[in-house]
Amino acid sequence: MTEPAFRLTSLAHGGGCGCKLAPAVLQDLLAGAPAAAAFERLLVGTETGDDAAVWELEDGTCLVATTDFFMPVVDDPDHFGRIAATNAISDIYAMGGTPVLALAILGMPIGKLDASVVRAILGGGRAVCAAAGIPVAGGHSIDSMEPIYGLAVIGTVKKDAIRRNSDARPGDVLILTKALGVGIYSAAFKKEALSQDAYDEMIASTTLLNKVGAGLAQEPDVHAMTDVTGFGLLGHALEMARGSRLSVTIEAPRVPLLSHAEALVRQGFATGASLRNWDSYGADIRLPRDSEIWRRHLWTDPQTSGGLLVSCAPEAADRLLADIVAAGYPSARRIGHVGAGASVVTVEDSHVA
């Protein structure tokens, strides 16, 4: 990793998707939002906590729109830019769409950062956009107390390829395309306790575009998708359960983890967002009796630029998983299933105290 003259993360009180408002706070703030039904062409709005908005055009093509930005999760400015851009574009892929263009969102503490640092952040974001095949076509910048960077992204999707988080079906198998543990790694990084190989693993995961989502949306056997980010695996699985009005079961031993995640969380490395996540939605989570708290931290860990959670027909699961792995996501695993019943998430774990 590049060693800057100062720690970029020292200028921010939080970093990455751990900066997100807690689910309960966000739900309260959006409680009075108008329903999408008021706008006939708004196919996806705020009702189900989905990843992006979708607006239907005249010819059956739909626009997909999202924005995502946060404070630094790493000190290397190029890496920060790449992670933030990858994370923002993920929302388009999670809806089954293909990105078209991006606009930069930039807030920087003027006088505290050298211009070369800001250029490196922007350069990292442009590099990821180029890898996604889209331009950074403009943007907006402000003088802010803490460094902020992200993108607004526009994409397109055919109406029949839209994949919401609310269309899971009873009997579906759940597949997760990336390993968990980014928040744990970032907590260790801030305390200078993350090894070089773990840092490299974190960067490889957080800068891996979720391009596979656009292809999965062409599969009739893929019923629902969402990306796993700041609310952790349990939070985003619960959004899927609530939106689909079904139950979700996570088979904990199957969940892929970054290689040092368990060791680090056992040492006490966890983010405050993990605790806020649990406080927000823990009442609707069923954990194994006597499950140790460090395991709960794994399942609520906020993921910056995490993987896709895919709900698919059981007879297609093995084929789809093989396709996902072959597409460049070696950590992808089957992690659970969808069933009838109350909108809760149950964690089945053979590793209990």
Side-chain angles (χ1 to χ4, degrees), residues 19-92:
C19 295
K20 290 177 70 170
L21 294 178
V25 175
L26 185 61
Q27 186 176 16
D28 181 59
L29 292 175
L30 295 178
F39 299 89
E40 182 179 353
R41 292 187 180 275
L42 183 59
L43 303 184
V44 181
T46 61
E47 289 78 9
T48 57
D50 234 313
D51 298 297
V54 181
W55 183 273
E56 185 178 9
L57 300 176
E58 299 287 347
D59 61 355
T61 299
C62 301
L63 288 179
V64 188
T66 187
T67 183
D68 213 315
F69 51 90
F70 46 62
M71 291 166 283
V73 68
V74 294
D75 292 326
D76 184 299
D78 174 75
H79 289 171
F80 171 40
R82 289 174 185 267
I83 293 167
T86 305
N87 179 74
I89 297 170
S90 179
D91 288 341
I92 303 296

Side-chain angles (χ1 to χ4, degrees), residues 137-227:
H140 185 64
S141 59
I142 62 169
D143 182 359
S144 63
M145 294 182 66
E146 297 178 287
I148 298 168
Y149 175 68
L151 300 174
V153 190
I154 302 296
T156 59
V157 65
K158 291 295 183 182
K159 188 174 181 179
D160 61 1
I162 297 169
R163 290 298 182 269
R164 300 172 176 86
N165 66 3
S166 56
D167 292 330
R169 302 179 188 179
D172 275 1
V173 167
L174 295 175
I175 295 173
L176 181 63
T177 65
K178 288 186 184 181
L180 301 183
V182 174
I184 293 163
Y185 274 35
S186 67
F189 176 78
K190 287 182 179 180
K191 295 184 178 180
E192 302 185 43
L194 193 68
S195 65
Q196 180 66 53
D197 67 304
Y199 180 87
D200 293 342
E201 183 184 25
M202 179 174 69
I203 298 302
S205 178
T206 54
T207 60
L208 175 61
L209 285 162
N210 282 322
K211 284 184 177 183
V212 70
L216 289 171
Q218 305 303 314
E219 295 273 358
D221 288 317
V222 172
H223 303 144
M225 285 196 299
T226 189
D227 60 352

Side-chain angles (χ1 to χ4, degrees), residues 179-181 185 195 197-198 201-202 256-264 331:
L180 301 183
Y185 274 35
S195 65
D197 67 304
E201 183 184 25
M202 179 174 69
L257 302 175
L258 295 175
S259 59
H260 301 275
E262 181 173 328
L264 287 169
S331 296

